[in-house]
Amino acid sequence: MDFFDRFAIPHPSPVIYASMVAITLTLVAIVAGVTYTKKWGYLWREWLTTVDHKRIGMMYLISALLMLFRGGADAIMMRAQTALPENTLLDSQHYNEIFTTHGVVMIIFMAMAFIMALMNFVVPLQIGARDVAFPRLNALSFWLYFWGAMLFNISFVIGGSPDAGWTSYFPLAGNEFSQSVGTNYYMIAIQIAGLGTLITGINFIVTILKMRAPGMTLMKMPMFTWSALITNLIIVFAFPVLTVALAMGTIDRLFGGNFFTTTDGGMDMLWANLFWVWGHPEVYILILPAFGIYSEIIPTFARRNLYGYKSMVASIVLISVLSFVVWVHHFFTMGQGAMVNSIFSITTMAIAIPTGIKIFNWLFTLWKGKITITVPMLYSLGFIPIFTIGGVTGVMLGMSAADYQYHNTMFLVAHFHLVIIPGVVFAMLAGLTYWWPKMFGFMLNERIGKLSFWLISIGTCVAFFPMFISGLDGQARRMYTYSEATGFGIWNMISFVGAIMLAAGFVTIVYNIYYSTRYASRDISSDPWDARSLEWATHTPVPDYNFAITPQVNSSEAFWDSKKNGHKLFPGEYKEIHMPNNSGVPFIMSAIFFVLGFALVFSIWILAVIALLGIFACLAHRSFEQDHGYHIPVEEVKETEEKLGGARQ
Amino acid sequence: MKIKGTLILLMFAVMTVLTGCEPLMILNPKGPQAQTQADVILLSIGIMSFIVIAVFAILIYMLVKYRASNQSDDYEPPHIEGNHIVEGIIVGIPVLIVIVLSIVSVRSNYLVEATPEGYEDQDPLVVYAQSSNWKWHFSYPEEGIETVNYLYIPTDRALEFKLYSEGPITSFWVPQLGGQKYAMSDMVTTLHLAADAPGEYMGRNANFSGEGFAENTFSVNAVPPDEFDEWVDEVQDTAKPLTEDKYKELLEPGHLGQLTFSSTHLEFSPPPEGEHGGHNHGSSSEDSEEGNMDMDHENMDESHDPSE
Ligand code: HEM
Ligand SMILES: [Cu+2]
Ligand SMILES: [Cu+2]
């Protein structure tokens, strides 16, 4: 292919041109806006160079919301295309690109970012720490994720998007069958973001193990922190597999390697194995934090402690171990025989046991409680029935002989959306509404919030239940069209209506944010929900240093005990506080990673070498840098505390 | 609670459709393998419905009984750590259910991976099914004929499909005869099917394989054995042989209609098995049913030995 042709959009269509225009206009508007209000300095000093876990959390949050809309737009387009038989809204190639990017964006750039957002914001506060263990690495993690996401997202206007599915099975994803640069984007953008995730994993394990407040033994950690710990352990075990698989895929595509080709000893199934050895645990990386969030919210609004704390902990540990021994259920049909299938069928169904324990523990947390229905609680309660349906259909898929019929059908699509949406999206929205006042100092409107909840949960059911039926009637997934005679039309039309309801639900969330930002009262207490864990014990807005005095913990609900049982949470005096300095290097280095990625996607070797040198320069800079952070003097601490509504001792 | 109402209604709707008048393809099996799978599916739907109903019932009970609006203002919920009996039940029942399902699952695995029950005493009809972008090539080695994008099969006879692919991974699927299996470029997988009733069934590639994937379908004509033999004779008499050049031409990516040939491509373009094979994942051939993970394909060719 001619050098410049590679950059062209391979499938120009009005939608793509419109989005190009929209992107350009938005960028121009942002640049103009920031310049006009003279905010460049502020943006650089306060956000782009920040190492504060709370701000990094907020930046993850904004990115995740943006990606939710990017992935959601893809979803609507897919549903619109298949709403009618033999529809011609999208052509096959375009549809393939859309479901591929939808899957990748939703899993890697939306859901992952959302859990990173909440983990970043909440975990250090919940364990009574000043920040994470390595604040600067944390900034690097975020910016690697951010620039990785940017690289992935320019694919649909420069050079073409990946089109081999989010699973990117070889040989389909190899050069022979995917000639555009699309799959290069996939390999490299996910690699960059994945590096960031791996770094986060290490960072949070150290943070949680080393930086807990005095008195907080492992068995006194709040449930969300527990889930974060286990999640990050899974990350550290699973992500290196992805790194290696993507590197091998990149070598195949860019340097003529033969790991996954059909000739010269390549093994296509090696990719499938490596992908799912990462991919299945990845599902639990997403779901466990969600479980953690529900375990915070349900006790708060049932006004009761979490039922069966110990079995909750045991079940997450068990789930994390089992998550590594089930990956073959993604290709029961690959011809490995009855024996292997039986083993993986049993391990898969076994996961239902610890998951069931959790569901029943949440139900029993309601027992003898005093339940108030707020928006976060609604999401947590709505999660239980919908997730149960998604979960039991997962057990059905785990029966491998039956999976021969479900595999690659809409039944599967229905199953995983019915676990992932209540499991991840509901949890994120619940967590967002729940921790919003701590983040931003005002509450989101409850009435609009409830409307969103109903639209989203009913929309989810309407959008995905019909797929069980069309799946059992033989509709394969990833088909851009089907004939009238199949009879799938009606189910897909219902599904489209559900998708519209979902979209409407997400729009009301944005409206809620806008509305509440304008009108909500700023006069709220630092503990508006009458909650139970430590993050509510500090001021709103949270000062840079989180807690003026390190809290002393006596149970998994130390804050509740301090409110009800007279436990003294903040013993001692104000002391000087040591804080890390901001740094622009994580931002710059990740931006260079973006350049490197772009150069690799298009095989522009000179640029790649220059970018690599730039990355090494950043690393070298750090090695020679002397940076001991700075200290906040006692007077300043005192002053801040008084200003924020009275010192807490 | 609006949501629960909706959910229960929807569940009912699903159940009615599942058991209702016009059966869904997968629940309307026309062969023993598909029958086994449909039985497993219906059984698991039954058991799973109990769990769903139990969870819904407990949730509704808790929500009705312990709503704050149902209680006095000064009620303070107690601190409850947990209870061994309750935890024994919520672990015990799922464990029992999983054990039952595991037994069903393992049994049905061995059933669908073997010659269909009741057909063990006869020779299976062997058909090589090869996919190429975006077509299916079916070779009948014993009959010496080949078709593209359609199958003729005799009813009441075991069928042994040997699957492989020229290009991306695909999945051979005839829902009413039985679940799918992958066709890959570096090995041959075996799928055992059989049809009980004559009819025309839908078959397709179920695994995404690029641009022409949606139309990557084929039709399956199940006919009584004597009619099948007539068809074979007719093909041998009337169709042209498949030349190497013609075969190369057919492999070009794209769609084709139905074609018929009086010879197969297996002679000049052998499938990736035996010494042409790459590897295997375990026991896809009958003679290694115990799941040995060796790389030995030597015996594969002998597995249809009439002495068996
Ligand atoms: C907002 C409502 C959503 C709708 C209407 C929707 C719809 C769809 C559709 C139509 C497909 C393609 C099915 C096919 O043809 O194979 C799909 C695939 C997928 N979706 Fe969604 N989706 C939604 C939300 C999500 C969310 C929240 C996630 C993850 C967090 C997600 C993850 C995926 C994945 C991983 C795939 C598979 C992509 C592939 O086949 O390569 N979706 N979705
Ligand atoms: Cu899995
Ligand atoms: Cu193979």
Side-chain angles (χ1 to χ4, degrees):
Chain A
M1 221 187 282
D2 208 29
F3 184 78
F4 287 103
D5 284 352
R6 302 164 64 89
F7 299 96
I9 322 159
H11 305 281
S13 77
V15 191
I16 291 197
Y17 288 125
S19 2
M20 282 171 88
V21 173
I23 293 175
T24 320
L25 286 181
T26 319
L27 285 180
V28 170
I30 292 175
V31 171
V34 177
T35 312
Y36 181 75
T37 51
K38 302 209 177 59
K39 284 283 185 341
W40 283 113
Y42 165 80
L43 203 62
W44 177 256
R45 276 191 313 277
E46 299 291 325
W47 293 94
L48 303 189
T49 61
T50 186
V51 295
D52 181 347
H53 71 97
K54 299 178 284 294
R55 297 207 161 172
I56 290 174
M58 289 179 203
M59 291 191 293
Y60 266 122
L61 187 70
I62 295 167
S63 319
L65 280 173
L66 285 177
M67 287 299 121
L68 179 68
F69 281 87
R70 157 73 158 94
D74 286 343
I76 294 287
M77 282 199 274
M78 279 189 281
R79 290 280 99 217
Q81 162 63 22
T82 48
L84 296 169
E86 282 155 58
N87 199 356
T88 52
L89 186 69
L90 302 172
D91 63 23
S92 166
Q93 175 62 24
H94 201 169
Y95 188 86
N96 298 346
E97 293 183 7
I98 288 177
F99 73 66
T100 303
T101 50
H102 165 77
V104 175
V105 163
M106 284 298 198
I107 303 262
I108 309 271
F109 298 118
M110 188 286 281
M112 285 299 272
F114 230 137
I115 66 161
M116 292 296 169
L118 295 182
M119 235 157 53
N120 260 288
F121 190 87
V122 177
V123 167
L125 292 173
Q126 257 191 355
I127 62 174
R130 292 259 138 78
D131 203 327
V132 296
F134 310 109
R136 191 155 153 167
L137 267 188
N138 199 24
L140 182 64
S141 290
F142 170 72
W143 289 113
L144 282 173
Y145 152 75
F146 178 84
W147 284 109
M150 289 302 112
L151 183 63
F152 191 80
N153 275 286
I154 60 171
S155 73
F156 78 108
V157 283
I158 310 178
S161 293
D163 58 0
W166 88 284
T167 48
S168 206
Y169 272 18
F170 281 82
L172 181 63
N175 284 333
E176 196 185 342
F177 301 105
S178 291
Q179 282 157 359
S180 85
V181 294
T183 304
N184 296 355
Y185 274 113
Y186 175 101
M187 297 285 156
I188 293 162
I190 297 182
Q191 185 72 284
I192 293 173
L195 273 179
T197 308
L198 186 55
I199 296 173
T200 302
I202 297 167
N203 205 343
F204 273 79
I205 292 175
V206 179
T207 306
I208 296 173
L209 290 181
K210 289 298 207 192
M211 297 178 59
R212 276 166 293 136
M216 186 183 281
T217 59
L218 283 179
M219 288 312 276
K220 291 197 171 95
M221 284 194 320
M223 232 29 228
F224 181 63
T225 301
W226 254 115
S227 70
L229 174 65
I230 301 297
T231 302
N232 286 297
L233 279 166
I234 305 182
I235 288 179
V236 169
F237 280 99
F239 265 75
V241 182
L242 178 69
T243 305
V244 169
L246 290 173
M248 289 162 82
T250 310
I251 291 172
D252 269 14
R253 288 193 57 92
L254 296 184
F255 308 108
N258 283 305
F259 290 113
F260 309 125
T261 54
T262 57
T263 52
D264 298 320
M267 284 197 273
D268 44 7
M269 292 67 105
L270 181 60
W271 168 268
N273 273 285
L274 291 175
F275 181 86
W276 286 113
V277 166
W278 161 79
H280 193 85
E282 163 68 15
V283 179
Y284 289 89
I285 294 172
L286 299 177
I287 199 84
L288 290 182
F291 288 172
I293 292 168
Y294 294 131
S295 302
E296 298 292 325
I297 291 176
I298 294 178
T300 300
F301 297 104
R303 297 186 64 76
R304 238 212 60 191
N305 65 314
L306 185 65
Y307 188 87
Y309 176 89
K310 283 187 196 138
S311 57
M312 284 301 221
V313 173
S315 60
I316 352 183
V317 175
L318 195 60
I319 290 175
S320 71
V321 174
L322 285 174
S323 74
F324 280 95
V325 293
V326 302
W327 79 95
V328 171
H329 66 207
H330 295 277
F331 40 86
F332 277 144
T333 58
M334 238 192 227
Q336 57 263 24
M339 170 88 153
V340 175
N341 279 359
S342 296
I343 293 169
F344 285 95
S345 172
I346 294 172
T347 54
T348 300
M349 291 192 284
I351 293 196
I353 297 167
T355 314
I357 295 175
K358 299 190 80 75
I359 299 270
F360 286 110
N361 277 333
W362 288 313
L363 289 174
F364 286 114
T365 303
L366 300 173
W367 184 50
K368 295 199 175 165
K370 193 176 187 180
I371 303 165
T372 43
I373 308 283
T374 58
V375 173
M377 188 64 164
L378 263 182
Y379 281 112
S380 314
L381 295 173
F383 150 81
I384 293 177
I386 303 180
F387 182 83
T388 303
I389 293 175
V392 296
T393 51
V395 174
M396 291 167 65
L397 288 162
M399 305 187 72
S400 45
D403 185 62
Y404 281 26
Q405 292 282 24
Y406 304 130
H407 186 57
N408 276 327
T409 66
M410 292 312 272
F411 191 96
L412 168 90
V413 177
H415 151 70
F416 82 68
H417 281 92
L418 286 175
V419 288
I420 217 162
I421 293 185
V424 181
V425 180
F426 280 26
M428 297 312 148
L429 297 176
L432 178 76
T433 338
Y434 182 61
W435 281 301
W436 185 275
K438 189 66 21 190
M439 290 187 190
F440 299 103
F442 60 92
M443 316 268 281
L444 289 174
N445 184 288
E446 282 276 307
R447 282 193 44 211
I448 308 177
K450 285 183 180 166
L451 176 66
S452 317
F453 167 78
W454 288 112
L455 282 171
I456 290 175
S457 56
I458 297 175
T460 303
C461 297
V462 177
F464 295 104
F465 282 178
M467 294 183 195
F468 284 127
I469 301 171
S470 66
L472 286 178
D473 205 16
Q475 184 181 0
R477 72 193 282 209
R478 296 173 171 179
M479 293 200 303
Y480 84 106
T481 191
Y482 51 87
S483 74
E484 175 112 47
T486 55
F488 303 149
I490 173 75
W491 307 117
N492 287 284
M493 181 48 96
I494 298 176
S495 214
F496 176 57
V497 173
I500 300 279
M501 284 177 77
L502 267 163
F506 288 114
V507 170
T508 58
I509 288 176
V510 176
Y511 176 71
N512 196 353
I513 293 177
Y514 161 81
Y515 178 89
S516 309
T517 310
R518 280 198 71 163
Y519 302 110
S521 157
R522 297 303 193 269
D523 184 24
I524 60 164
S525 80
S526 58
D527 176 26
W529 306 113
D530 198 5
R532 313 173 80 88
S533 48
L534 275 186
E535 70 271 27
W536 303 99
T538 184
H539 304 286
T540 300
V542 185
D544 283 349
Y545 47 75
N546 293 354
F547 297 94
I549 296 170
T550 305
Q552 174 73 44
V553 174
N554 67 333
S555 75
S556 65
E557 301 189 317
F559 181 49
W560 186 255
D561 289 338
S562 81
K563 288 193 284 189
K564 301 288 156 171
N565 309 331
H567 166 68
K568 191 162 160 44
L569 202 49
F570 296 107
E573 307 263 292
Y574 292 139
K575 293 203 192 75
E576 201 179 54
I577 295 175
H578 179 231
M579 298 292 290
N581 280 323
N582 283 359
S583 165
V585 179
F587 178 83
I588 294 168
M589 184 163 141
S590 311
I592 304 177
F593 259 101
F594 172 86
V595 176
L596 172 68
F598 187 83
L600 287 178
V601 168
F602 289 97
S603 313
I604 313 172
W605 306 117
I606 303 170
L607 186 60
V609 171
I610 296 173
L612 261 181
L613 291 176
I615 290 168
F616 282 118
C618 291
L619 292 172
H621 172 261
R622 181 55 172 156
S623 327
F624 293 111
E625 192 182 15
Q626 299 268 336
D627 178 3
H628 300 294
Y630 68 102
H631 287 87
I632 306 177
V634 178
E635 296 74 52
E636 202 183 316
V637 174
K638 219 179 251 166
E639 215 172 276
T640 318
E641 289 292 299
E642 242 119 63
K643 200 172 75 209
L644 287 172
R648 258 227 177 82
Q649 291 272 347
Chain B
M1 298 295 322
K2 255 181 284 171
I3 173 124
K4 264 110 240 161
T6 331
L7 281 175
I8 290 170
L9 260 180
L10 270 162
M11 282 286 294
F12 266 112
V14 172
M15 295 309 265
T16 344
V17 176
L18 289 180
T19 52
C21 31
E22 204 184 308
L24 299 171
M25 200 180 272
I26 288 173
L27 301 178
N28 182 18
K30 299 290 182 197
Q33 308 301 59
Q35 184 68 54
T36 305
Q37 287 158 337
D39 291 346
V40 172
I41 290 173
L42 287 174
L43 176 82
S44 60
I45 290 180
I47 297 180
M48 293 298 120
S49 310
F50 275 115
I51 301 178
V52 172
I53 290 167
V55 168
F56 277 47
I58 302 177
L59 179 63
I60 292 169
Y61 172 79
M62 297 290 180
L63 286 181
V64 172
K65 185 107 191 273
Y66 299 110
R67 275 285 277 276
S69 50
N70 254 354
Q71 289 160 335
S72 61
D73 284 344
D74 55 358
Y75 172 66
E76 276 294 327
H79 181 94
I80 310 172
E81 287 283 332
N83 178 315
H84 288 303
I85 299 170
V86 174
E87 281 175 40
I89 296 173
I90 64 179
V91 179
I93 293 180
V95 168
L96 285 180
I97 293 177
V98 168
I99 289 175
V100 171
L101 292 179
S102 297
I103 294 169
V104 175
S105 180
V106 173
R107 271 189 46 113
S108 52
N109 275 339
Y110 280 92
L111 283 179
V112 296
E113 283 293 335
T115 308
E117 263 180 330
Y119 295 88
E120 292 89 347
D121 49 343
Q122 33 156 298
D123 280 346
L125 173 75
V126 177
V127 182
Y128 279 79
Q130 179 206 15
S131 65
S132 73
N133 268 340
W134 294 282
K135 306 165 285 294
W136 286 95
H137 309 255
F138 301 108
S139 308
Y140 297 71
E142 273 145 84
E143 288 72 17
I145 58 175
E146 179 154 330
T147 60
V148 174
N149 288 339
Y150 79 99
L151 268 171
Y152 254 74
I153 51 166
T155 54
D156 300 316
R157 174 151 177 213
L159 310 167
E160 198 174 302
F161 286 97
K162 297 284 185 188
L163 312 170
Y164 64 103
S165 151
E166 165 78 34
I169 300 174
T170 55
S171 194
F172 176 93
W173 187 34
V174 186
Q176 288 184 282
L177 299 187
Q180 55 192 289
K181 196 169 266 180
Y182 284 179
M184 297 163 290
S185 63
D186 54 357
M187 67 181 292
V188 173
T189 47
T190 306
L191 182 62
H192 302 273
L193 299 178
D196 288 337
E200 187 170 337
Y201 307 121
M202 187 277 283
R204 63 166 299 119
N205 160 25
N207 195 61
F208 178 62
S209 63
E211 209 170 333
F213 164 68
E215 294 95 2
N216 197 181
T217 57
F218 57 92
S219 71
V220 184
N221 297 287
V223 296
D226 41 340
E227 231 176 278
F228 175 75
D229 293 336
E230 275 168 37
W231 173 76
V232 172
D233 290 340
E234 194 191 310
V235 170
Q236 278 162 345
D237 290 346
T238 56
K240 286 207 195 100
L242 177 60
T243 62
E244 219 169 324
D245 288 343
K246 178 72 183 166
Y247 174 68
K248 290 245 165 61
E249 196 187 309
L250 296 183
L251 289 185
E252 291 290 308
H255 294 290
L256 287 174
Q258 304 188 337
L259 302 172
T260 315
F261 301 98
S262 61
S263 71
T264 75
H265 71 263
L266 298 174
E267 296 101 47
F268 51 81
S269 172
E273 61 184 343
E275 73 260 39
H276 312 289
H279 68 286
N280 73 4
H281 314 296
S283 57
S284 42
S285 61
E286 275 138 81
D287 42 357
S288 53
E289 214 138 73
E290 290 313 307
N292 57 341
M293 299 287 280
D294 69 0
M295 313 278 275
D296 177 19
H297 292 242
E298 230 63 290
N299 296 329
M300 264 191 167
D301 294 356
E302 273 123 56
S303 56
H304 331 298
D305 192 330
S307 65
E308 249 182 37

